[in-house]
Amino acid sequence: MEDNTDVSDEEIDAALNTGREERIRRLEKLMDELPDDERMLLTLYYFEDRPLTEIAYITGIDAKALANRLYRTRKKLCKKLKDERNDI
């Protein structure tokens, strides 16, 4: 079931882009729970700083499709972080 709730880029960035060690550990834990293809996309894009065109070449998937997948994956992580925060 796909969540149709709109999340702005600013909300996603605020939830995912922080330097605090605790947030990083939680993010790594949540990334480990992702399917392999989503985890690989995040790793290549954020940790290896590869552009989508290069990731498209590596994976054989169109760059526009990867951009959509990246957005959905970031949105999923943001929601999981918010849910986790609300459980505390």
Side-chain angles (χ1 to χ4, degrees), residues 1-2 9 25 36 40 42 58 72 74 82 86:
M1 183 168 108
E2 188 167 321
D9 285 339
R25 282 192 299 276
D36 291 339
M40 179 186 67
L42 291 174
I58 291 168
R72 286 192 314 267
R74 290 174 62 208
K82 284 181 180 181
N86 290 335

Side-chain angles (χ1 to χ4, degrees), residues 33-88:
E33 297 172 5
L34 292 174
D36 291 339
D37 60 329
E38 292 176 349
R39 190 171 52 248
M40 179 186 67
L41 176 58
L42 291 174
T43 299
L44 291 171
Y45 189 76
Y46 287 106
F47 297 111
E48 295 185 14
D49 292 323
R50 295 181 187 237
L52 284 175
T53 53
E54 186 177 338
I55 298 170
Y57 178 77
I58 291 168
T59 61
I61 300 170
D62 179 71
K64 285 186 179 186
L66 284 174
N68 288 331
R69 196 176 289 184
L70 180 62
Y71 175 79
R72 286 192 314 267
T73 302
R74 290 174 62 208
K75 184 176 172 179
K76 182 191 296 187
L77 280 177
C78 182
K79 183 179 180 331
K80 285 179 178 271
L81 283 171
K82 284 181 180 181
D83 289 349
E84 185 179 85
R85 211 175 329 165
N86 290 335
D87 288 343
I88 295 176

